[in-house]
Amino acid sequence: MKPQAYVFDAYGTLFDVYSVQAKCEEIFPGRGADLTRLWRARQLEYSWLRSLMGRYEDFWKLTGDGLRYACQFLGVKPGQEQIEELMQSYLALDAFPESGQVLAKLAAFPRAILSNGTPAMLEAVVRHNGLEGQFGHIISVDELKVYKPHPSVYQLAVERLGIAKENIAFVSSNGWDVAGAKAFGFTVYWLNRQGAPVEELGVLPDAIIKSPLDLLYLP
Amino acid sequence: MKPQAYVFDAYGTLFDVYSVQAKCEEIFPGRGADLTRLWRARQLEYSWLRSLMGRYEDFWKLTGDGLRYACQFLGVKPGQEQIEELMQSYLALDAFPESGQVLAKLAAFPRAILSNGTPAMLEAVVRHNGLEGQFGHIISVDELKVYKPHPSVYQLAVERLGIAKENIAFVSSNGWDVAGAKAFGFTVYWLNRQGAPVEELGVLPDAIIKSPLDLLYLP
């Protein structure tokens, strides 16, 4: 069955969060990879933990918190200006090379972003990559004050698009986001670029793809 | 102000989760450290994710799920018997050397465990270490079907002990658990054996200790 709309995760799916690695490496030679990995890990953990604690802060704040923790853990000491520079790089993540092409090819369908990012963060990264025209909706969890994979987040896309959840194709590179979206009831395509194992969360994606281009050729 | 009761986290605090590392290393030489670390990380992540998804499964299941994911990710292929052996090692974690001593010295106070573990897991590990007599209450999240750091979990200890939350000293080695407990309102002592940075979750513990023995000398 062909989906009636496509909803994309942003970070890691359309936009490469590891494109901050170059900036990290420039500022802290030899530590770029570790800093990038730990920064991203804490950013996500904090989103889950704060959701459970009922202490929401927006994703811009969590991105800064994750960066500060990662720097302290690794014993690197950025100045205020370097912190600023690293944070700004999050607003200028590169889109993966195929993102624009696939979005254009799917132009006959409603397309949306559904992301943990704040509206300002999402707007910035979409604009940076010249993708403003590609999305009917850019949906942020920020209006709900809870993060993925809480089911109410996925429900936001249903309400905004006005399409039944099983007719919405949700595309994410994050295995845990895939599990949350599938448990909610979307048709889910896991963009598994690295060939990682399926997360053991009790649900399976409808398809696993290696490249966003594969979306064009799914049955 | 002296606490009126002590509530301990189990895994990582009283009992050393890395004591499974020897078994991992025995079965998969050279991979023990990586397997132990990833297994523990996924066990915890799944607890947060499933809580957010509203899809609780108990901690024994999550421990197995985390192990399976970690093995697949690392490309090691345990047989059913080896899986069984690794899982059993979780029921026979070693207590940290000071755990028994400190519990005995605090015998004038009500002492409890508050843990993600199932009642059966907790009973097994307490018995394995001969600590049966040390706890008035062994409290599992399992009755609530949600994991730490959800505030309702910490509230369980208040109800069981019948003591106001600020008069309960909560002791955990897990920085995220410390944040959850402090946000809830306990007096919180972070057992920070490795000198890790404070998690950037917006709350600070009341004290940071290097050894459980320090509990005896807090002001």
Side-chain angles (χ1 to χ4, degrees):
Chain A
M1 183 202 59
K2 276 286 173 199
Q4 293 172 20
Y6 288 83
V7 174
F8 294 86
D9 169 56
Y11 300 117
T13 302
L14 294 172
F15 307 106
D16 189 355
V17 286
Y18 290 98
S19 62
V20 300
Q21 192 166 321
K23 179 59 72 184
C24 289
E25 184 64 25
E26 180 194 318
I27 299 182
F28 301 111
R31 313 304 295 275
D34 283 349
L35 182 56
T36 307
R37 199 178 312 113
L38 186 55
W39 181 5
R40 171 69 172 161
R42 273 308 190 278
Q43 178 200 48
L44 286 177
E45 286 184 24
Y46 290 167
S47 75
W48 304 328
L49 290 165
R50 281 192 171 275
S51 293
L52 270 177
M53 290 162 70
R55 295 218 159 193
Y56 180 86
E57 296 280 353
D58 77 25
F59 208 59
W60 183 245
K61 170 86 164 75
L62 267 51
T63 301
D65 290 346
L67 175 58
R68 262 192 307 282
Y69 182 90
C71 287
Q72 283 192 46
F73 187 89
L74 296 173
V76 300
K77 298 191 170 46
Q80 191 49 47
E81 201 171 311
Q82 291 173 318
I83 289 270
E84 194 60 34
E85 217 178 323
L86 288 164
M87 289 294 288
Q88 289 301 319
S89 70
Y90 230 90
L91 303 179
L93 298 175
D94 297 326
F96 286 101
E98 318 81 11
S99 295
Q101 190 186 344
V102 169
L103 287 163
K105 292 244 186 196
L106 294 172
F109 298 92
R111 287 147 297 152
I113 285 176
L114 176 63
S115 168
N116 278 340
T118 64
M121 289 171 80
L122 295 171
E123 201 195 313
V125 77
V126 165
R127 197 178 336 107
H128 173 75
N129 288 284
L131 297 174
E132 299 93 322
Q134 296 295 341
F135 303 104
H137 304 272
I138 295 180
I139 310 167
S140 165
V141 306
D142 194 54
E143 61 187 275
L144 290 179
K145 314 284 183 225
V146 72
Y147 287 101
K148 295 176 177 181
H150 195 281
S152 64
V153 169
Y154 303 109
Q155 179 63 26
L156 263 187
V158 172
E159 285 161 19
R160 214 55 60 80
L161 289 164
I163 293 175
K165 56 189 176 182
E166 61 273 20
N167 295 326
I168 293 176
F170 181 79
V171 185
S172 179
S173 66
N174 297 292
W176 57 272
D177 187 20
V178 162
K182 189 63 210 170
F184 170 72
F186 283 141
T187 294
V188 178
Y189 302 139
W190 183 22
L191 177 51
N192 184 11
R193 291 189 180 88
Q194 265 86 44
V198 175
E199 295 291 347
E200 296 277 345
L201 285 163
V203 281
L204 294 174
D206 295 278
I208 300 178
I209 58 180
K210 283 288 220 182
S211 157
L213 294 167
D214 298 338
L215 286 175
L216 309 174
Y217 308 105
L218 286 171
Chain B
M1 183 203 54
K2 275 285 173 201
Q4 294 171 19
Y6 288 83
V7 175
F8 294 86
D9 169 56
Y11 299 117
T13 301
L14 294 172
F15 307 106
D16 189 356
V17 286
Y18 290 98
S19 62
V20 300
Q21 192 166 320
K23 179 61 72 184
C24 289
E25 184 65 25
E26 180 194 319
I27 298 182
F28 301 111
R31 314 304 295 274
D34 282 350
L35 182 55
T36 307
R37 199 178 312 115
L38 186 54
W39 181 5
R40 171 68 171 163
R42 273 306 192 277
Q43 177 200 48
L44 287 177
E45 286 183 24
Y46 290 167
S47 76
W48 303 328
L49 291 165
R50 281 191 169 274
S51 294
L52 271 177
M53 289 162 72
R55 295 219 159 192
Y56 180 86
E57 296 280 353
D58 77 24
F59 208 58
W60 183 246
K61 169 86 164 74
L62 267 51
T63 301
D65 290 346
L67 174 58
R68 261 191 309 282
Y69 182 90
C71 287
Q72 283 191 49
F73 187 89
L74 296 173
V76 299
K77 297 189 171 46
Q80 190 50 47
E81 202 171 310
Q82 291 173 317
I83 289 269
E84 193 61 33
E85 218 179 324
L86 288 165
M87 289 295 288
Q88 289 301 318
S89 70
Y90 229 92
L91 301 179
L93 298 175
D94 297 326
F96 286 101
E98 318 81 12
S99 295
Q101 191 186 344
V102 169
L103 288 163
K105 293 244 187 197
L106 294 173
F109 298 91
R111 287 147 297 153
I113 286 176
L114 176 62
S115 168
N116 278 340
T118 64
M121 290 171 79
L122 295 171
E123 200 195 313
V125 77
V126 165
R127 197 180 334 108
H128 173 76
N129 288 284
L131 297 174
E132 298 94 321
Q134 297 295 342
F135 302 103
H137 303 273
I138 296 180
I139 310 166
S140 165
V141 306
D142 195 53
E143 59 188 274
L144 291 179
K145 313 286 182 223
V146 71
Y147 287 102
K148 296 175 175 181
H150 195 281
S152 64
V153 169
Y154 303 108
Q155 179 62 26
L156 263 187
V158 172
E159 285 160 20
R160 214 55 59 82
L161 289 163
I163 293 175
K165 56 189 177 181
E166 61 273 19
N167 296 327
I168 293 175
F170 181 80
V171 185
S172 178
S173 66
N174 297 291
W176 57 271
D177 188 19
V178 162
K182 189 63 210 171
F184 169 72
F186 283 142
T187 293
V188 178
Y189 302 139
W190 183 23
L191 177 50
N192 184 11
R193 292 189 180 86
Q194 265 86 43
V198 175
E199 296 290 347
E200 297 277 344
L201 286 163
V203 281
L204 294 173
D206 294 279
I208 300 178
I209 58 180
K210 282 289 219 184
S211 158
L213 294 167
D214 298 338
L215 286 175
L216 308 175
Y217 308 106
L218 286 171

